[in-house]
Amino acid sequence: MAIPIAYNFRNLVVRKTTTLMTALGIALTVATLLAILALVNGLRVTLSASGDPLRIVVLRQGADSELVSNFVRTQFQDLKFKQGIASGADGQPLASLEMVTIANLAVVGGSDININVRALLQVGRELRPNVHIVSGRWYQPGQREVVVGKMLALQHESARIGKRIRLGRGEWECVGIMDGGGGATDSEVWGDLNQISSDLQRIEILSSATVKATDAVTAKALINDINNDQRLNMTAVSEKEYYDRQTDSGVPIRDVGIFVAIIMAVGSSFAAMNTMYAAVARRSREIGTLRVLGFSPGSIMLSFFLESVLLSLLGGVLGCLLALVLNGYGTQVGANFATMAFAFRVTPSIMAVGLAFAVILGAVGGLLPARMAARKEILTALRAV
Amino acid sequence: MRYLPLILKNCWRNRRRTVLTIASIGVSMCLLGVMASMYHSFYMGGPAPDQALRLVVRNRISIAVALPLSYRDNIQRIPGVREVMYANYFQGVYKDSRNPENMFARFAVDSEELFKVFGEFRIPEDQKRAFLRERAACVIGRDVANRLHLKLGDRIPIKGDIFPGDFEFTVRGIFDSPRSSQVMYFNREYLEQSMSERRRGFVGMFYVRIDDPDRSPRVAQAIDDEFHNSTAQTKTESEQAFMVGFLSLLGNVKMFLLGISAAVMFTILLVSANTMAMSVRERVREIGVLKTLGFTPAAVLGLVLGEACAISVAGGLIGYLLSTLLMQMVAKSPFGGFLPTLPLIEVPVAATCIAIAAAIGVVSSLVPAAGASRLPIVEALRSTD
């Protein structure tokens, strides 16, 4: 017969200081793991929110990001009239030639950060209807004006309405804040293509093109068409896939985080082991009594094992609570040489990982002490002081 | 001091607990040691003598934005400058970029200047001549050669991404460097030939070798001043600062290191406090006996504090030694190419680790030690637990 689990609960409550300390140690380990997973998850969510499967990004062959790509105006004419590109309100194809470059943004009380600048024409905005202005107004073509993404504006004082951003040969006034629905756009600065490209002396060589397909089937055909066009010599990927690939920049952070968490977990499981050994030693007489009452060594082992798991589960829950504090906290990483602002995202599945991690940790730490408890001789156990 | 044998005996009475505690602290301290030595080498350590002689000039906006090649002559004329080498970060894909095994840095450089600017590279004279003679030749660091099993005469095919095209390099030299040498250099002429007309004449950065390390800030300032009114402004920094800047593209490295260190320290504190509380609780009667024998409260306090310190310093020492091993592994990994020089034992880091361990020992045992020293004799002797 199994020992009721209430017995273990009570034991944990009786030794509350020790329980709490051990659990807190485990909690910190779990919280560290969760913080890093939430960071990478936030990055992934932000990037995948940026992608629309119908929009297709066209880059120079071999380039893996818009920043290192280049696109000559004459090539664009060949691309623009391909089959399958949707038409805009004015009957023109929804194909946008764009330039992506980097600007420095001064940070109050810190070193400069790099931000992505996207220069586009009216059609570029038309094929991204999800991006809208939340305050201020759009830039005027022909003016030295830009709009900034809302995450950027939120995190940096120097990227708000009325401020000036240095780019190319001068300064540009920020006239509006745009909302791209939680995607990469929220960390970008947008301005007029002709104005910016002439300022940077890149009138002919721009970065990339984005086109919108009429439907999902055509999108696939269009991608194949562009990829196989020898004359164009470009690669096309759906915007969704493009941003999914950019998620790779989070991989090193995640790997380092997991490595750190595993090392911390080894330390914490030793600590849990210590606590459980002490519990076994102190409850020697109790164990003897339980045996006299007829509980088998197996059920004693199970009971102590469960107690260790309960202890670490408590730690796991505390760790999740600690990590929840971070949820929504804005941060940034440099994706592809430019800063990408996003928020930590603690999701239920991440918390489940944290709890599972805690349970494994407690199971490893509890196994040996539980075995020791089960092996105690009844008489010696009863005689212990 | 004369209580030292007693303290050590006390540590050793519950061997399993002491070993577990030391192991737990050791594992965590190992992590702390790694964090501390990274922090030290990024933000505090002075550069190695050969590195102190080098500056890197890049575009003020970002290393992803190029500088005109013509800047070389202007830089060369600045007093204090001995050699100038232009370079492009080439990136490219060797076999499969998803496999981190195939990652190593690749630079297109002025091959004539390479071994003058990087005076610490050791390469046989005949290999150097072979490298200079051939346009498609490259030299690779010993670490790359060993890891990928490359030898002289082997061909390295690389698909360009920043610079499109298929390139094939022949290994003509393998050099030794006092640092991690996960790097390949080749003649920039080869790259220039493959570029479109418009992209020629631009380089990513200049490596500058100066006469006197003490004058490096002044020379750096002079270079930046020289181009202050040009279209492409420069940022000149020490090689070390440049590398840290490269890393910070991954995110806020400083916060990351400090955050993890804080979590680790707090975990150790909990583990150690828990152990000391357990061991004092177990010995209440014994403390009563000690006091009966004439030990003063101060002596009892010292005994408990000493025990905690002994355990955590032992853990700290083991942890630090483990961390040096780990750092050696990190330095040998592809990631190591970004790290500044890492000597085997960094005295300030070692001292910090051990001081932290001792401090943790004291802090963690303060409460149980104070309790033990204040305990009245009669009550202590009466205790049954």
Side-chain angles (χ1 to χ4, degrees), chain B residues 95-168:
Chain B
K95 289 183 182 169
D96 172 16
S97 64
R98 303 255 156 171
N99 183 357
E101 272 286 294
N102 294 328
M103 271 185 12
F104 51 94
R106 301 159 197 126
F107 289 93
V109 298
D110 182 351
S111 50
E112 295 283 344
E113 292 285 329
L114 177 65
F115 293 100
K116 292 184 200 156
V117 171
F118 288 88
E120 74 271 26
F121 288 174
R122 294 278 160 263
I123 186 169
E125 201 53 39
D126 54 324
Q127 290 182 17
K128 188 156 108 185
R129 275 199 301 275
F131 168 60
L132 292 179
R133 234 187 348 253
E134 197 177 318
R135 178 159 294 168
C138 71
V139 288
I140 54 177
R142 176 77 58 197
D143 292 345
V144 178
N146 288 346
R147 192 157 51 89
L148 298 171
H149 310 292
L150 292 167
K151 48 188 192 309
L152 293 181
D154 280 357
R155 283 172 202 285
I156 305 180
I158 290 184
K159 198 169 167 53
D161 44 14
I162 302 178
F163 303 95
D166 291 308
F167 296 83
E168 193 176 70

Side-chain angles (χ1 to χ4, degrees), chain A residues 18 22 24-25 28 60 62 102 104 114 205 248 253 263-264 267 270-271 274-275 277-278 282 334 337 372, chain B residues 16-17 20-21 24 27 31 60-62 64 98 161-162 164 198 249-250 266-267 270-271 274 278 281 385:
Chain A
T18 311
T22 315
L24 262 180
L28 281 171
R60 192 201 57 220
I102 293 179
N104 277 154
N114 290 341
I205 310 177
D248 288 355
I253 304 177
I263 293 191
M264 282 180 77
F270 281 141
N274 230 342
T275 308
Y277 269 125
R282 276 166 63 95
F337 295 151
M372 187 174 97
Chain B
R16 181 167 49 219
R17 182 166 60 217
L20 280 176
T21 311
S24 173
V27 171
L31 205 54
R60 207 180 92 97
I61 295 170
S62 158
R98 303 255 156 171
D161 44 14
I162 302 178
R198 285 194 198 83
L249 292 172
L250 279 177
F266 207 66
T267 313
L270 285 168
V271 169
N274 205 2
M278 280 194 282
R281 211 178 304 130
D385 193 30

Side-chain angles (χ1 to χ4, degrees), chain B residues 7-308:
Chain B
I7 290 175
L8 291 180
K9 275 239 157 63
N10 270 335
C11 288
W12 210 232
R13 60 188 272 154
N14 193 332
R15 247 163 275 180
R16 181 167 49 219
R17 182 166 60 217
T18 306
V19 168
L20 280 176
T21 311
I22 290 179
S24 173
I25 294 177
V27 171
S28 308
M29 280 306 282
C30 156
L31 205 54
L32 198 66
V34 172
M35 299 291 147
S37 46
M38 288 209 181
Y39 192 89
H40 182 265
S41 67
F42 288 165
Y43 302 109
M44 291 156 76
D50 45 299
Q51 268 185 313
L53 281 171
R54 264 196 304 275
L55 298 173
V56 183
V57 185
R58 62 164 172 93
N59 192 303
R60 207 180 92 97
I61 295 170
S62 158
I63 44 171
V65 184
L67 290 172
L69 183 55
S70 61
Y71 278 19
R72 180 179 55 167
D73 299 333
N74 302 46
I75 297 173
Q76 188 76 66
R77 278 198 296 272
I78 287 168
V81 171
R82 188 178 291 173
E83 307 279 352
V84 182
M85 177 183 83
Y86 52 74
N88 278 94
Y89 181 62
F90 176 71
Q91 194 166 304
V93 178
Y94 173 62
K95 289 183 182 169
D96 172 16
S97 64
R98 303 255 156 171
N99 183 357
E101 272 286 294
N102 294 328
M103 271 185 12
F104 51 94
R106 301 159 197 126
F107 289 93
V109 298
D110 182 351
S111 50
E112 295 283 344
E113 292 285 329
L114 177 65
F115 293 100
K116 292 184 200 156
V117 171
F118 288 88
E120 74 271 26
F121 288 174
R122 294 278 160 263
I123 186 169
E125 201 53 39
D126 54 324
Q127 290 182 17
K128 188 156 108 185
R129 275 199 301 275
F131 168 60
L132 292 179
R133 234 187 348 253
E134 197 177 318
R135 178 159 294 168
C138 71
V139 288
I140 54 177
R142 176 77 58 197
D143 292 345
V144 178
N146 288 346
R147 192 157 51 89
L148 298 171
H149 310 292
L150 292 167
K151 48 188 192 309
L152 293 181
D154 280 357
R155 283 172 202 285
I156 305 180
I158 290 184
K159 198 169 167 53
D161 44 14
I162 302 178
F163 303 95
D166 291 308
F167 296 83
E168 193 176 70
F169 304 100
T170 313
V171 179
R172 288 294 176 223
I174 296 173
F175 64 86
D176 289 286
S177 161
R179 269 173 292 286
S180 162
S181 53
Q182 306 279 359
V183 62
M184 166 184 137
Y185 295 100
F186 64 91
N187 194 338
R188 196 176 163 283
E189 279 299 307
Y190 183 30
L191 182 64
E192 185 96 356
Q193 296 299 320
S194 75
M195 284 189 208
S196 65
E197 200 66 45
R198 285 194 198 83
R199 291 188 85 190
R200 287 188 193 168
F202 283 93
V203 298
M205 60 213 151
F206 294 98
Y207 283 88
V208 177
R209 189 182 168 91
I210 54 175
D211 284 328
D212 177 6
D214 296 332
R215 285 180 55 199
S216 89
R218 244 180 301 158
V219 175
Q221 192 58 49
I223 295 174
D224 288 347
D225 288 346
E226 171 83 22
F227 303 109
H228 187 70
N229 292 320
S230 317
T231 30
Q233 294 183 353
T234 59
K235 184 174 168 81
T236 306
E237 50 198 349
S238 71
E239 188 177 66
Q240 198 179 19
F242 177 74
M243 283 191 203
V244 173
F246 214 90
L247 259 189
S248 66
L249 292 172
L250 279 177
N252 193 337
V253 180
K254 214 171 189 169
M255 270 284 276
F256 191 77
L257 291 180
L258 289 178
I260 291 178
S261 302
V264 171
M265 271 202 279
F266 207 66
T267 313
I268 305 176
L269 196 66
L270 285 168
V271 169
S272 173
N274 205 2
T275 313
M276 284 320 291
M278 280 194 282
S279 75
V280 169
R281 211 178 304 130
E282 239 168 47
R283 293 201 299 243
V284 174
R285 253 204 293 187
E286 199 180 296
I287 288 167
V289 173
L290 283 178
K291 285 190 167 174
T292 319
L293 291 176
F295 279 74
T296 59
V300 172
L301 187 82
L303 277 180
V304 179
L305 288 184
E307 186 176 336

Side-chain angles (χ1 to χ4, degrees), chain A residues 143-378:
Chain A
Q143 298 291 318
R144 296 181 74 86
E145 292 175 345
V146 291
V147 297
V148 297
K150 65 163 192 232
M151 282 300 259
L152 215 52
L154 197 71
Q155 290 183 9
H156 300 289
E157 248 175 70
S158 42
R160 294 191 185 148
I161 294 178
K163 292 277 172 11
R164 294 182 166 275
I165 293 171
R166 254 198 89 80
L167 170 68
R169 282 180 290 179
E171 290 187 325
W172 300 69
E173 192 186 348
C174 169
V175 295
I177 293 173
M178 61 180 170
D179 180 355
T185 311
D186 290 347
S187 307
E188 287 180 348
V189 170
W190 283 15
D192 179 47
L193 178 71
N194 295 328
Q195 191 74 17
I196 293 181
S197 66
S198 65
D199 207 64
L200 291 175
Q201 294 165 313
R202 276 181 65 178
I203 298 169
E204 281 307 311
I205 310 177
L206 302 159
S207 303
S208 61
T210 300
V211 300
K212 180 151 185 158
T214 46
D215 56 75
V217 182
T218 348
K220 226 171 232 153
L222 189 56
I223 290 174
N224 282 334
D225 184 17
I226 298 170
N227 283 334
N228 295 330
D229 190 332
Q230 296 291 336
R231 198 173 37 137
L232 208 54
N233 203 16
M234 289 281 161
T235 53
V237 284
S238 76
E239 200 182 48
K240 195 160 178 41
E241 201 188 326
Y242 173 77
Y243 281 110
D244 282 349
R245 279 192 211 159
Q246 305 289 314
T247 315
D248 288 355
S249 58
V251 170
I253 304 177
R254 195 198 59 200
D255 290 351
V256 170
I258 289 175
F259 177 70
V260 165
I262 286 176
I263 293 191
M264 282 180 77
V266 173
S268 303
S269 76
F270 281 141
M273 212 183 272
N274 230 342
T275 308
M276 288 315 291
Y277 269 125
V280 172
R282 276 166 63 95
R283 285 177 5 222
S284 215
R285 266 200 289 185
E286 264 176 61
I287 294 168
T289 315
L290 286 170
R291 291 289 306 278
V292 171
L293 290 175
F295 288 104
S296 68
S299 59
I300 286 176
M301 179 158 165
L302 185 70
S303 173
F304 274 91
F305 182 71
L306 281 180
E307 190 169 322
S308 171
V309 171
L310 266 179
L311 175 68
S312 57
L313 202 59
L314 176 67
V317 172
L318 285 176
C320 287
L321 291 178
L322 277 177
L324 269 181
V325 175
L326 273 180
N327 196 21
Y329 175 76
T331 184
Q332 56 198 29
V333 297
N336 251 306
F337 295 151
T339 302
M340 168 94 142
F342 61 96
F344 280 88
R345 246 166 216 273
V346 184
T347 57
S349 63
I350 283 186
M351 291 204 274
V353 171
L355 290 181
F357 189 68
V359 166
I360 293 172
L361 204 155
V364 171
L367 205 57
L368 289 176
R371 206 179 62 157
M372 187 174 97
R375 282 189 176 172
K376 274 193 193 292
E377 291 289 328
I378 298 184

Side-chain angles (χ1 to χ4, degrees), chain A residues 22-77:
Chain A
T22 315
L24 262 180
I26 294 170
L28 281 171
T29 307
V30 172
T32 308
L33 176 72
L34 291 191
I36 285 157
L37 291 181
L39 182 91
V40 176
N41 189 44
L43 180 66
R44 195 181 55 78
V45 168
T46 303
L47 283 170
S48 65
S50 320
D52 179 326
L54 285 191
R55 285 201 291 265
I56 296 166
V57 182
V58 186
L59 305 169
R60 192 201 57 220
Q61 210 139 52
D64 61 357
S65 78
E66 290 179 285
L67 193 60
V68 300
S69 169
N70 52 60
F71 206 129
V72 183
R73 270 182 200 269
T74 48
Q75 286 173 306
F76 183 63
Q77 294 309 319

